[in-house]
Amino acid sequence: MTVDVANDAMQIKTKKSHSSTTLRITLITLITILSCYYLWVLYKAVTPNVSIAYKAYYIKTQTLFWQPKEPDLALKIPSSLELSTKVPYLSRKGWNKDADNGARLLTNSGGLYFTLPHKVKQDVKVSITLASSLASPLHFTVNQWDGVFASTKQSNVFDAIIPASAFKSGDTLQTLQINTLTPLAFKLVDFSFLSLSKNDSHQATPTYASSSMTHN
């Protein structure tokens, strides 16, 4: 009788030991699976597989508007941007979210984020149209190149010529930042390749800034 009780006790102990081992293995397995899952989530958070526009708007909070139709923020040249509309390239910094009377106010330094679908091989002419005249030139940067918007015969229109070397190639996000200390209302930003026609040469006198570009 005593032997039977001892055997039963041993069997119960063995079963408990087996159950404990099984539970331990199950817990270790679950912890391993959860750890792998959270590592995967962390990896996806650090390197999200999302569009350039999504990353610029939601993750880095660089752009002012979210436009799903422009996933790459690709800027075509030539093009004319009406800043009173929800232009997807506008920086969140500097610009008023609401437009007024066909113009958008730039309260301090701000500009555009964009990519270029093709490598720029020609100098680019950029014209800005303000809601009112401006007496002094307007400084800006394209990536790491410094430039100046020079006045034209129209007191509210300023032109600049940007060398092709100022632009990056590929799908790298680029910036054009306008540096202003006083609020300015912008109506248009026009991009075109530099034309050497007589018509362009007498309408404006765009200038290059001093060559302070740093190559990446």
Side-chain angles (χ1 to χ4, degrees):
M1 186 72 175
T2 304
V3 174
D4 292 338
V5 171
N7 288 336
D8 290 343
M10 186 175 291
Q11 288 178 1
I12 292 172
K13 186 176 181 180
T14 302
K15 287 180 180 179
K16 285 183 177 180
S17 177
H18 179 72
S19 300
S20 177
T21 302
T22 303
L23 180 61
R24 190 180 298 112
I25 292 172
T26 303
L27 288 174
I28 291 173
T29 303
L30 287 174
I31 291 171
T32 302
I33 293 172
L34 286 173
S35 298
C36 291
Y37 171 76
Y38 285 119
L39 284 173
W40 178 80
V41 170
L42 181 62
Y43 171 78
K44 296 298 288 184
V46 174
T47 57
N49 185 23
V50 296
S51 69
I52 293 172
Y54 185 98
K55 186 184 295 185
Y57 181 78
Y58 284 106
I59 299 175
K60 296 188 175 182
T61 62
Q62 294 169 310
T63 51
L64 186 61
F65 298 111
W66 163 240
Q67 297 285 7
K69 293 182 179 180
E70 293 291 346
D72 298 324
L73 293 178
L75 178 66
K76 296 179 181 179
I77 302 176
S79 64
S80 180
L81 307 179
E82 295 185 18
L83 298 196
S84 60
T85 63
K86 293 185 177 181
V87 176
Y89 316 107
L90 289 174
S91 66
R92 192 169 302 192
K93 178 184 175 183
W95 298 103
N96 274 7
K97 192 160 188 178
D98 296 322
D100 185 37
N101 292 326
R104 189 177 302 278
L105 193 67
L106 181 65
T107 56
N108 50 59
S109 296
L112 307 172
Y113 285 99
F114 60 93
T115 65
L116 293 169
H118 305 289
K119 181 177 176 60
V120 174
K121 298 181 180 179
Q122 300 171 256
D123 294 346
V124 174
K125 178 181 176 182
V126 181
S127 298
I128 58 173
T129 302
L130 305 177
S132 58
S133 60
L134 182 66
S136 58
L138 200 55
H139 294 265
F140 70 98
T141 59
V142 173
N143 299 321
Q144 295 181 339
W145 186 88
D146 298 327
V148 178
F149 284 110
S151 59
T152 68
K153 288 186 175 181
Q154 296 175 269
S155 61
N156 67 325
V157 178
F158 289 73
D159 290 348
I161 304 300
I162 304 172
S165 57
F167 298 97
K168 302 174 184 178
S169 57
D171 59 358
T172 304
L173 193 63
Q174 311 190 52
T175 60
L176 188 158
Q177 177 170 304
I178 300 168
N179 304 309
T180 177
L181 298 176
T182 58
L184 294 173
F186 284 71
K187 299 181 74 174
L188 296 170
V189 177
D190 297 310
F191 291 84
S192 61
F193 289 113
L194 179 61
S195 172
L196 299 178
S197 67
K198 292 181 179 179
N199 185 48
D200 284 340
S201 64
H202 80 263
Q203 281 187 346
T205 54
T207 58
Y208 287 103
S210 58
S211 56
S212 56
M213 178 180 174
T214 303
H215 291 280
N216 293 331

